[in-house]
Amino acid sequence: MKKLMFALALAGLATGAMAQENEIPTKKYSVATNSFWSNWYVQVGGEFNAAYTNQEKLGNKNPFSVDRGTFGFEAAVGKWFTPVIGLRTKFQGIWAKAVNDGDDHHSYKYWTIHEDVMFNLSNAFCGYNEKRFWNIAPYVGIGYINRMEASDAADRNSEYREPTYNVGIYNSFRINRRLAAYLDVWGMAMEGSLDAFNSYKNQGENDWHAHKKTESRYWDKLVGVSVGLNINLGKTIGWNKVPDVDALMAMNKEQLDALNNSLKEQQDENARLRNLLANQKPGETKTVKEFATTPVSVFFNINRTKIASRKDLVNVKELAEYAKANNKKLVVTGYADSKTGTAAINQRLSEGRAKAVANELVKMGVSRDNIVVESKGGVNDIAPFSYNRRAIVKLQ
């Protein structure tokens, strides 16, 4: 009689042993809005630039030529307003080279500051991912450039201050939550003669003045490559994804239906056991044996082989005690849901889940020789489909 009452109580416990999903579905392209002080960053780095001027006679167009290129540095501060759009203020300089002919490529000093509008294509086309290793962001901008020193001594006192028009492709490579390395390929154009060198200088006063009137029609260019570190500032870095309410409601309905079905099954089982109890003759143990043959499920989260809830092991322990007392073998069968993952991944998951439950049985005192481990890969036997991520324990 005591065994039979224990069986009835154990059947009631099964209603609390359902799996709990920890996943919350989110929208791929939607994120929660952050405060103005969130998602700021600073950048520091070095650059290599090459000049292409309107008056040059140098035949070699190689940007890495020592006649054309030189080094500089840069610093910037910026903010991402969304995962796709941001603004950046960038300072750079301070050396460039005049490019005139093979014998005349003096260095001169300049500085420029410009405001760039950034477009993160990785987030735009692939969805926001805080842990993505590589992000690519083209940008356009406008700024101001000042030449501090001319390349040619005769024009050293001439002034040059003009707007700049900037384009580039910014690449960042994640190191950790705070740091990223970056590679910035850029170009800028400005009207007039940035290096203050004019090939008309020695052609007579009239030609020189005529050129001065028309030099604004010409454009000098700088192109370059920058490398450095991006440092994220503040407490809030990145964005939280917006929950997909429709998917969440559908999931909740699916889980509620499953719980209702499970409750009905347990109520039917309890009614059956009570009926057997009412008709059982003194000394019979048939009811307990029939209950012991009922499979017990242990559930897992998606892509995991760690048991989702230790509560599932309550029923497993009672089945293990029965198997030990009656020298019975237990069969542990692992499953994965067939709607997610490849066949190979699902087979690996089902094997790992079966082994995880088998290890728990050993801890409960069941001999490993009395445990049979099986794996069935991906299945779609029960609803909701997430409940197929399980392992079943039963008597052989």
Side-chain angles (χ1 to χ4, degrees):
M1 181 64 69
K2 289 183 178 179
K3 290 184 177 180
L4 182 57
M5 296 304 296
F6 176 76
L8 289 172
L10 184 58
L13 286 174
T15 59
M18 301 303 292
Q20 299 296 316
E21 288 292 337
N22 294 326
E23 308 159 69
I24 297 178
T26 57
K27 293 184 177 180
K28 184 176 181 180
Y29 295 103
S30 297
V31 294
T33 302
N34 286 335
S35 71
F36 176 80
W37 301 109
S38 302
N39 301 308
W40 285 84
Y41 62 89
V42 295
Q43 296 171 353
V44 290
E47 68 173 48
F48 179 86
N49 68 66
Y52 291 86
T53 63
N54 63 75
Q55 84 289 337
E56 69 175 68
K57 298 179 181 179
L58 185 63
N60 183 6
K61 300 297 183 181
N62 181 4
F64 299 103
S65 167
V66 295
D67 296 338
R68 188 180 294 277
T70 189
F71 295 91
F73 68 90
E74 64 183 36
V77 60
K79 171 180 169 58
W80 289 102
F81 293 92
T82 74
V84 176
I85 299 176
L87 291 177
R88 179 184 67 175
T89 304
K90 182 178 179 181
F91 171 90
Q92 62 187 100
I94 62 174
W95 297 282
K97 280 191 175 181
V99 183
N100 304 303
D101 54 42
D103 298 321
D104 193 351
H105 41 82
H106 307 302
S107 295
Y108 60 95
K109 295 179 181 180
Y110 80 98
W111 61 263
T112 179
I113 189 168
H114 48 93
E115 190 72 18
D116 303 320
V117 182
M118 316 280 287
F119 304 92
N120 190 316
L121 296 185
S122 300
N123 287 336
F125 289 101
C126 302
Y128 171 66
N129 181 356
E130 181 183 359
K131 295 185 178 181
R132 180 180 290 117
F133 172 68
W134 176 34
N135 283 275
I136 181 169
Y139 62 88
V140 294
I142 188 169
Y144 172 83
I145 192 167
N146 178 66
R147 184 186 65 236
M148 296 183 288
E149 179 183 5
S151 63
D152 134 358
D155 255 359
R156 193 170 296 275
N157 294 324
S158 64
E159 295 182 350
Y160 182 89
R161 299 183 182 91
E162 293 289 340
T164 65
Y165 304 93
N166 305 77
V167 295
I169 301 177
Y170 176 80
N171 301 267
S172 66
F173 305 92
R174 186 180 188 273
I175 299 174
N176 55 40
R177 186 169 178 267
R178 289 284 178 185
L179 292 177
Y182 74 81
L183 171 68
D184 192 349
V185 182
W186 53 268
M188 71 174 74
M190 62 291 297
E191 199 171 12
S193 181
L194 173 64
D195 58 7
F197 183 92
N198 296 282
S199 58
Y200 297 87
K201 191 77 172 180
N202 298 320
Q203 296 181 10
E205 191 70 16
N206 291 334
D207 289 337
W208 168 243
H209 286 297
H211 173 67
K212 290 295 287 182
K213 293 179 181 179
T214 60
E215 73 170 350
S216 62
R217 294 182 300 172
Y218 299 95
W219 294 81
D220 279 4
K221 282 82 65 179
L222 285 177
V223 297
V225 177
S226 304
V227 294
L229 283 178
N230 183 102
I231 305 169
N232 294 319
L233 304 177
K235 294 182 179 180
T236 304
I237 299 171
W239 289 264
N240 293 322
K241 291 188 176 182
V242 174
D244 189 333
V245 177
D246 293 336
L248 190 59
M249 292 180 65
M251 186 191 327
N252 288 341
K253 183 179 183 304
E254 194 177 47
Q255 291 176 338
L256 183 60
D257 290 343
L259 288 172
N260 288 332
N261 291 336
S262 177
L263 178 60
K264 185 178 183 305
E265 290 173 0
Q266 296 305 322
Q267 289 172 340
D268 292 343
E269 178 65 12
N270 287 345
R272 186 181 71 85
L273 289 174
R274 282 193 296 269
N275 184 56
L276 288 174
L277 175 62
N279 298 312
Q280 181 174 288
K281 296 179 182 180
E284 285 186 345
T285 59
K286 180 180 178 182
T287 303
V288 176
K289 290 180 180 178
E290 286 190 8
F291 176 79
T293 60
T294 302
V296 177
S297 292
V298 179
F299 295 93
F300 296 81
N301 288 324
I302 187 170
N303 200 32
R304 294 290 185 270
T305 56
K306 181 180 178 181
I307 297 171
S309 173
R310 303 295 294 182
K311 292 179 181 179
D312 291 353
L313 297 177
V314 173
N315 291 351
V316 174
K317 183 173 179 59
E318 300 307 329
L319 192 57
E321 293 298 329
Y322 178 86
K324 288 191 295 180
N326 294 274
N327 195 28
K328 298 288 186 179
K329 284 193 174 184
L330 293 172
V331 179
V332 183
T333 307
Y335 302 88
D337 77 89
S338 60
K339 289 191 176 182
T340 58
T342 64
I345 291 175
N346 287 335
Q347 182 61 34
R348 175 179 58 79
L349 287 171
S350 65
E351 292 173 0
R353 288 164 180 172
K355 290 178 181 178
V357 175
N359 290 337
E360 293 296 331
L361 287 171
V362 172
K363 294 177 184 178
M364 295 173 186
V366 179
S367 171
R368 197 172 288 275
D369 294 335
N370 287 334
I371 302 173
V372 179
V373 177
E374 300 176 344
S375 56
K376 299 296 185 180
V379 298
N380 188 19
D381 295 340
I382 58 176
F385 70 87
S386 57
Y387 283 15
N388 290 290
R389 303 164 191 157
R390 71 193 193 280
I392 288 177
V393 186
K394 65 181 180 180
L395 290 175
Q396 190 177 47

